[in-house]
Amino acid sequence: MLKKLFSLSLILLILSGCKETQLLSVEQPYWGTWESSGYGYIVDIVDGEFALYDIDSKYCVKQDASSKEIAQLLTHFEAVSNTKIGLGQSANSKLYYFNRLDKLPSRCNQTIKNSPAVVVDQFATMMQEHYAFFDVYGVNWETRVEQAKLKIRPQTSDRELFEILSEMMVGLNDGHLYINATLDGELEQISYGDSKVLKPALDRAFSQQSKIKTRSEFGKAWYKGTLGKVDELLNGEANYSANNLILWGSVNNIGYIKLRNMFGFSEDGSLSNEIEAVNKAMVNILSEIGNKPNIVIDLTTNSGGHDEVGRAIANFFTDKKLKLYSHSTLGSTEAPQEYFTNPSSAPYLGKVIVYTSDHTVSAAETFTMAMKALPNVTHVGTTTRGALSDILDKTLANGWEVGLSNMTYLDSNDKLWEGIGVIPEIKLEVFNNEDILTSHLVATQQLFKMIETGQL
């Protein structure tokens, strides 16, 4: 699960599991046309009905979504002035600011020619105006665009177009940058942001066996086995909380909390219920293991979710208001948003070890960054993936979906980790053991030994 911004596919998934939906109701004075500050969106509200557009300096594409689906994305509304509103998912989540337009731009009512040349030009424009990290990855985008346009011919097929876009993205090893396309009835994805250690290790292990027939099923079996070995690690006494997504227990003087994701803790998936479920779980967990002098928070297989969940958990490990991190958005006129702890009434102030790998990604990375702002935290493991930005969802003229990184996160010391990964203070290899089926167990046992012998 990756961090999403205006992801209609994600909302449809959430809606399918909800008994009720809470829709944004905008008062009539705020009906009208609103353009986001950054992000490249227009929300058009006519007679209380919503329409959503992707817009840049050249193109405007209406998203294929109902008013109800769009409203479910925007469950929190704040009126800043008659010409400015803030929209978000809750009062405690990010706000996305929109400024009033007199009317919908004329190009939003025009049909875009669905041709390879237009798709390449639209993708080039979209990336130029919203992708924030060309410099981080050392990619000259203008040169890439020129080379791509030279390859377009009137008879360029969808498969050839897919390859042209793939070549444009080479070197942008960003876990939040991708294109999803349907080719010959099958969904295919362009992305170069896979883990550099865990994925090759799993690929190698899959190729060396014949019992499991598909790579996907092998990955699921490996993950299930890794979770099973957590129970072994905890002497058969692992506990499960928050929809079984938090595994916890203790060994001798060490408390252990494994966060599998940063989402999925509640039945309906709404942000407010996610945070409520996590808060309830953490109160219970710390009542049981909060007497231990050391707690390990294991993020080694955490693929992300909600930043807000990470900040809620960080509140349980400090008694002071501390700056965690800030973020800004390419193309936005808004000031960077800063986030601080809101300490719990009974925080744990013992030694905390945050444990990561190169599979620690997205909201798990912003959580790692947040926890490193706390004085009682030590970061151990391997460097995280380096994909901290939210995913900005966009739609190309031919219907293909683009996800890209447009947000710059800085830690409490204003350091950028995007494209680098959050680097641990103490290195401990997690997934390079010759036997990937036991690698996590072996590494975590070594971590426990380091703690027990005073090396940490």
Side-chain angles (χ1 to χ4, degrees), residues 9-195:
S9 58
L10 174 60
I11 290 300
L12 288 172
L13 177 64
I14 292 173
L15 283 171
S16 68
C18 292
K19 297 179 180 178
E20 298 180 4
T21 58
Q22 182 182 1
L23 302 181
L24 173 65
S25 177
V26 180
E27 296 178 0
Q28 188 168 346
Y30 294 97
W31 292 0
T33 305
W34 302 89
E35 183 172 14
S36 61
S37 179
Y39 305 102
Y41 288 114
I42 285 180
V43 173
D44 198 33
I45 310 170
V46 179
D47 296 331
E49 295 293 311
F50 291 76
L52 182 64
Y53 296 82
D54 289 315
I55 191 166
D56 54 46
S57 61
K58 291 185 180 181
Y59 300 96
C60 182
V61 177
K62 185 178 182 179
Q63 292 212 5
D64 183 18
S66 69
S67 176
K68 181 179 179 180
E69 291 161 2
I70 297 165
Q72 188 64 25
L73 290 164
L74 307 170
T75 53
H76 181 72
F77 167 86
E78 288 187 13
V80 180
S81 69
N82 287 334
T83 59
K84 185 176 181 178
I85 56 176
L87 300 174
Q89 288 189 305
S90 78
N92 296 319
S93 67
K94 303 180 187 73
L95 276 182
Y96 304 99
Y97 291 99
F98 288 72
N99 298 300
R100 186 188 288 278
L101 298 179
D102 292 335
K103 61 181 180 180
L104 194 65
S106 59
R107 64 186 183 280
C108 296
N109 294 315
Q110 297 171 357
T111 301
I112 299 175
K113 184 180 179 181
N114 180 13
S115 69
V118 167
V119 170
V120 167
D121 188 58
Q122 185 193 6
F123 178 62
T125 304
M126 181 186 296
M127 289 285 286
Q128 185 64 50
E129 296 182 7
H130 295 293
Y131 189 71
F133 303 111
F134 291 118
D135 289 345
V136 168
Y137 292 102
V139 169
N140 185 319
W141 187 243
E142 291 182 359
T143 299
R144 289 285 175 88
V145 173
E146 291 173 2
Q147 293 169 344
K149 288 183 176 180
L150 291 174
K151 298 173 184 176
I152 296 294
R153 307 183 314 278
Q155 65 271 31
T156 295
S157 67
D158 280 354
R159 172 63 64 183
E160 289 169 331
L161 175 60
F162 189 75
E163 292 303 320
I164 290 169
L165 296 176
S166 297
E167 291 172 7
M168 293 175 74
M169 293 167 58
V170 169
L172 296 172
N173 301 319
D174 181 342
H176 284 169
L177 175 64
Y178 60 84
I179 297 178
N180 289 334
T182 301
L183 299 171
D184 302 321
E186 299 291 330
L187 180 65
E188 297 193 31
Q189 184 177 86
I190 307 166
S191 179
Y192 297 99
D194 289 324
S195 61

Side-chain angles (χ1 to χ4, degrees), residues 322-325 368-377 411-412:
L322 299 170
K323 180 181 174 181
L324 298 176
Y325 53 78
T368 301
M369 189 168 63
M371 290 296 289
K372 287 170 72 79
L374 310 185
N376 53 328
V377 171
D411 70 11
S412 59

Side-chain angles (χ1 to χ4, degrees), residues 207-221:
S207 69
Q208 294 170 349
Q209 59 86 52
S210 58
K211 183 177 180 181
I212 300 175
K213 300 304 181 184
T214 70
R215 173 62 174 78
S216 175
E217 289 302 316
F218 182 81
K220 292 176 183 177

